[in-house]
Amino acid sequence: TMKTTFWAIILLALLVRGALMLLNHIGDQTPEKREYARRFFSEGEIERSGEYHRDGFWVKIIRLLLSFAFPLALVVTGISTGYAERCLQWSGGRVWLQVILFTASYLTAAALIELPMNYYLGYVREARFGLSNHTTVSWLIYAAKTYLVGLLLTILVLSVVYYLFRSTKVAWVVIVPAL
C-alpha cells in the first residue's frame, strides 16, 4: 500500500544517511592510508583529527534523528494539515503565498530545533579545536545569514515545483523523480 511504501522510504533514507555518517565517522583506517597521512601530518595531528570527528558524532546522530522525527511528527499528528489550512486562510486563498508561509514557518521551526546542535558543532567544537575565530555573536550572525539564504532558495525552488504541480496534470510521483 501507499502508506507502507511511504514508511519504507523514510526508514531506508534514515538507514542510508546513518550508514553514511558511520562510514564517515570510522574513516579509512587501513595501514596504507595511515602511512600516507604520516607523510603530511604528525601522529599527534592525526590523533587530534580523529578526536575532532569523534567529538561531534553523537550530536550529528541526534540531529539526523530529529531531522526525520520533526516532519514525521507534524504529518502523523495532523498538525501539518491544520497549519497548511491556516496558512491558506492567512494568505487570503492565494496558494502561492500559502506555500511561502508554510515553508518559511516550517524551516524556521526546524532551524530553531537544530540550533543548539548546530551551535555546538559549528561554534563550540570549532573553537575548542582552534578552527574558528568567530565570537558567539559573529557565529550567530553567520548562522542567521546561512538560514536566510537557505530559506530564500528553498522557497524559490518549492514555489517552482509547486507551480509545476498545479499547472500540469502530471502526478507528483512523475515530476519529483525527474527533478
Side-chain angles (χ1 to χ4, degrees):
T1 67
M2 183 75 101
K3 190 174 185 179
T4 304
T5 303
F6 171 78
W7 288 110
I9 291 170
I10 295 296
L11 181 60
L12 180 64
L14 186 60
L15 290 173
V16 167
R17 285 196 52 198
L20 290 174
M21 287 176 68
L22 183 60
L23 289 173
N24 184 46
H25 175 69
I26 294 169
D28 189 349
Q29 297 293 328
T30 61
E32 297 83 22
K33 290 291 182 181
R34 190 106 174 149
E35 197 55 46
Y36 181 77
R38 282 192 191 109
R39 285 197 247 162
F40 304 99
F41 304 102
S42 69
E43 194 63 39
E45 290 171 324
I46 294 170
E47 288 305 315
R48 188 166 159 81
S49 166
E51 182 184 338
Y52 172 82
H53 287 288
R54 284 188 300 275
D55 183 57
F57 180 70
W58 290 109
V59 176
K60 289 178 184 176
I61 292 293
I62 292 167
R63 186 173 63 181
L64 170 68
L65 293 173
L66 283 174
S67 74
F68 277 87
F70 176 59
L72 283 175
L74 294 179
V75 169
V76 169
T77 61
I79 291 172
S80 62
T81 303
Y83 190 68
E85 291 169 4
R86 175 83 36 102
C87 288
L88 186 60
Q89 290 172 352
W90 290 337
S91 68
R94 294 181 297 267
V95 176
W96 63 271
L97 187 54
Q98 174 198 25
V99 171
I100 292 171
L101 289 172
F102 187 90
T103 301
S105 54
Y106 168 77
L107 291 177
T108 300
L112 290 173
I113 288 169
E114 291 184 0
L115 183 62
M117 291 160 282
N118 290 337
Y119 176 75
Y120 174 78
L121 292 170
Y123 176 72
V124 173
R125 183 175 70 144
E126 297 293 314
R128 183 169 59 229
F129 284 91
L131 300 173
S132 174
N133 58 2
H134 277 293
T135 64
T136 301
V137 172
S138 69
W139 182 87
L140 287 169
I141 291 169
Y142 172 77
K145 288 178 185 178
T146 302
Y147 160 76
L148 289 172
V149 169
L151 177 67
L152 291 174
L153 290 174
T154 302
I155 286 173
L156 178 67
V157 169
L158 283 181
S159 295
V160 169
V161 169
Y162 196 76
Y163 172 77
L164 290 173
F165 290 166
R166 302 275 296 178
S167 64
T168 64
K169 300 300 178 201
V170 180
W172 66 269
V173 294
V174 175
I175 294 174
V176 171
L179 297 175

